[in-house]
Amino acid sequence: GENVEQHPSTLSVQEGDSAVIKCTYSDSASNYFPWYKQELGKGPQLIIDIRSNVGEKKDQRIAVTLNKTAKHFSLHITETQPEDSAVYFCAAPLGFRNDMRFGAGTRLTVKP
Amino acid sequence: NAGVTQTPKFQVLKTGQSMTLQCAQDMNHNSMYWYRQDPGMGLRLIYYSASEGTTDKGEVPNGYNVSRLNKREFSLRLESAAPSQTSVYFCASSATRGEANNYGYTFGSGTRLTVV
């Protein structure tokens, strides 16, 4: 089955700096890679996603890059702000199924 | 507001008690899921339903049962609660792979369950 590994588990940056979180997956059939942000006491919220036929996708200060050959994808947050502080999860589908395997999460802290 | 609604938000059970967690979505999604979230272990799939009338086991199904009551509702039942089931439970829904290019999940706000 799919294995999704996420690094780092914690990340602390200064406001205005960039943050990068990386995930690797094992199933070459995976074709869709979402990222979720979870704030304290809330459910995860989809913030950006990418399909396997695209190498990079941007949405304002966040971007996701995908390297299919190496089987990894990364979340990039530029000009970080305190409100970016949260736990971030990557995910990848299990083969050709609909359900997904999640990474263990990265706790991002942005210091003002 | 469109989304996924879970009830209850908090629950304390005694070992051996039973309960049902309710979930409903109004986005006309075919697929629905139940995950549990434990510290340091991320989100683990308990059961999912690809469409009305079908359910499948996930990574950690033991001790749970589910019912896909109709397209909108997907419930999770604990028949005899155990302390190991203390967790935060999330319901989610999504479009079905093949029907949409992007099938990211919409999550509910969670149920925090404590079994004593």
Side-chain angles (χ1 to χ4, degrees):
Chain A
E2 178 71 278
N3 218 24
V4 179
E5 295 189 1
Q6 182 172 347
H7 300 280
S9 56
T10 60
L11 180 59
S12 181
V13 300
Q14 208 64 39
E15 183 177 359
D17 288 350
S18 295
V20 181
I21 304 170
K22 182 177 175 178
C23 281
T24 60
Y25 62 98
S26 58
D27 191 336
S28 56
S30 298
N31 67 348
Y32 173 69
F33 306 93
W35 283 92
Y36 296 85
K37 176 183 181 182
Q38 185 177 27
E39 296 175 335
L40 195 61
K42 297 183 178 180
Q45 182 179 14
L46 180 68
I47 56 171
I48 195 167
D49 52 19
I50 192 168
R51 286 190 63 85
S52 57
N53 58 350
V54 175
E56 183 177 6
K57 182 178 178 181
K58 288 183 180 179
D59 183 2
Q60 299 182 334
R61 294 187 299 107
I62 60 173
V64 55
T65 58
L66 171 65
N67 183 326
K68 281 191 65 179
T69 303
K71 294 183 187 173
H72 67 72
F73 57 110
S74 300
L75 177 70
H76 304 255
I77 306 174
T78 59
E79 300 173 26
T80 54
Q81 301 168 3
E83 51 265 38
D84 294 328
S85 295
V87 179
Y88 292 82
F89 292 97
C90 62
L94 299 173
F96 295 101
R97 289 164 44 142
N98 220 69
D99 53 299
M100 298 199 189
R101 187 66 59 88
F102 284 78
T106 297
R107 182 174 298 278
L108 173 65
T109 303
V110 180
K111 299 176 182 176
Chain B
N1 291 338
V4 178
T5 302
Q6 287 184 240
T7 56
K9 292 190 183 303
F10 301 93
Q11 184 71 49
V12 178
L13 290 179
K14 293 182 179 179
T15 297
Q17 286 185 318
S18 62
M19 79 162 295
T20 300
L21 281 64
Q22 307 286 354
C23 176
Q25 53 94 6
D26 58 5
M27 295 170 290
N28 202 35
H29 284 158
N30 280 316
S31 297
M32 298 186 73
Y33 315 83
W34 277 104
Y35 282 83
R36 60 178 287 173
Q37 185 173 36
D38 302 293
M41 301 192 75
L43 292 148
R44 293 182 293 168
L45 181 67
I46 305 171
Y47 271 94
Y48 80 103
S49 171
S51 61
E52 186 178 350
T54 68
T55 61
D56 284 287
K57 294 179 180 180
E59 296 175 73
V60 288
N62 291 344
Y64 305 95
N65 284 302
V66 290
S67 295
R68 183 73 182 267
L69 304 170
N70 48 56
K71 190 171 185 178
R72 291 187 64 247
E73 298 172 286
F74 188 38
S75 62
L76 178 72
R77 182 160 178 84
L78 286 70
E79 291 290 351
S80 179
S84 60
Q85 294 178 305
T86 293
S87 187
V88 181
Y89 291 85
F90 287 102
C91 176
S93 71
S94 76
T96 299
R97 186 171 181 171
E99 293 181 349
N101 280 333
N102 301 323
Y103 45 99
Y105 293 178
T106 299
F107 282 89
S109 57
T111 296
R112 186 174 296 275
L113 175 67
T114 302
V115 183
V116 298

